[in-house]
Amino acid sequence: MTTTIGAAIRSMALAGTAAILLTPSLNGPASAQDAAPAPVEFHATISVKPEAMDGFLAVMRENARASRAEEGNVSFDVYGREEGGNELFLMERWADRAAVEAHGRTPHLQAVVARVDGDLAAAPQEQPLVRLSPMAPEKPIANPAATRNVAVTIHVKPEMRERFQATLLDVVEPSRAAPGNLAFDVYHHADDENAFFIMERWTSVAEHEAHLEQPYNEPLNAIFEESLAQPLGEGRRLLKDLAPS
């Protein structure tokens, strides 16, 4: 893979310098942002060459550990699929754009960037997010290795967006109050308000599966299929925590 300026920018984006820095319009006019700094939240998917996975993951884990200690970091999570494989999934939350810019200059991020051209099997995919559910206090995680983590991307028909969003948001608080829930956050893609993203954390597989059977999900289940603009397919990922705090 040939090193280019574009590749370096993508590399920094996947590890913490969000593409949002290059496209301020995603979160509104720059003047508004300057007046009221807004949180920056995004996820990224990274496909790693099988033979490079151990080395790349070690550097990414150190990046996650050091990033969490940065003043402007809210959270930095690294996941892999429950079934294994060589795909990493990052979920990052930063206090504001200034925090992301500062992160872009850190040695632990640059250590990730230095490995990208040799270790990745494909260009990373990064998605800036717009939060729809209110921010909730973080809950302590006693056993991160046992958690069930669910990332879901749902593309809905434009005519169903408002109804789907309202019904989805009605599920947030009952889900957060359910036994074993650690987080339940709802977003839409910054560049597509018809693409919803849900990030869930549960203390165990059993508690996640019990949540799916609860009656508060029934209104959403009732409109789910008719709302889809495309099959769910790879939009739902079951993940394991690869870089616990």
Side-chain angles (χ1 to χ4, degrees):
M1 187 183 301
T2 303
T3 302
T4 66
I5 293 175
I9 290 173
R10 287 195 300 272
S11 303
M12 294 175 70
L14 73 90
T17 305
I20 206 167
L21 296 175
L22 306 178
T23 52
S25 61
L26 289 178
N27 267 358
S31 58
Q33 292 176 1
D34 293 340
V40 175
E41 303 185 64
F42 64 96
H43 67 75
T45 303
I46 311 168
S47 180
V48 184
K49 296 174 183 176
E51 66 275 16
M53 187 62 174
D54 289 348
F56 186 83
L57 180 56
V59 174
M60 182 58 75
R61 282 173 170 155
E62 174 57 23
N63 180 47
R65 184 199 63 77
S67 296
R68 292 169 187 148
E70 292 182 47
E71 182 177 355
N73 183 257
V74 178
S75 64
F76 193 118
D77 297 308
V78 182
Y79 302 102
R81 290 183 182 267
E82 284 186 348
E83 66 270 26
N86 298 299
E87 184 179 82
L88 298 180
F89 184 90
L90 274 57
M91 184 72 196
E92 300 186 38
R93 300 177 177 91
W94 297 87
D96 51 32
R97 289 164 57 93
V100 178
E101 291 173 341
H103 175 64
R105 298 187 290 270
T106 58
H108 45 273
L109 173 60
Q110 294 305 317
V112 174
V113 172
R115 296 190 66 105
V116 163
D117 284 337
D119 289 357
L120 296 198
Q125 303 297 314
E126 187 218 40
Q127 181 59 61
L129 300 167
V130 174
R131 175 174 285 274
L132 296 174
S133 57
M135 184 78 78
E138 286 196 20
K139 300 177 183 178
I141 303 176
N143 186 6
T147 56
R148 158 61 62 89
N149 309 281
V150 189
V152 187
T153 299
I154 306 168
H155 296 270
V156 303
K157 300 171 184 175
E159 64 272 20
M160 290 293 293
R161 180 182 60 80
E162 291 187 8
R163 182 183 175 194
F164 183 86
Q165 178 173 312
T167 307
L168 175 59
L169 289 176
D170 283 343
V171 175
V172 173
E173 292 308 322
S175 299
R176 288 176 173 176
N181 181 260
L182 297 167
F184 195 105
D185 294 301
V186 176
Y187 307 84
H188 70 70
H189 287 186
D191 56 357
D192 183 359
E193 64 180 1
N194 298 313
F196 291 87
F197 178 74
I198 308 166
M199 189 70 210
E200 307 174 43
R201 298 203 74 178
W202 299 86
T203 56
S204 70
V205 172
E207 285 165 322
H208 172 241
E209 292 180 347
H211 146 77
L212 296 175
E213 301 301 320
Q214 298 306 307
Y216 54 74
N217 289 305
E218 290 175 3
L220 183 62
N221 292 339
I223 67 166
F224 193 82
E225 289 299 330
E226 67 176 299
S227 300
L228 294 182
Q230 56 185 262
L232 190 59
E234 283 290 294
R236 183 174 185 266
R237 304 175 186 180
L238 302 178
L239 304 168
K240 57 185 176 182
D241 193 334
L242 296 181
S245 300

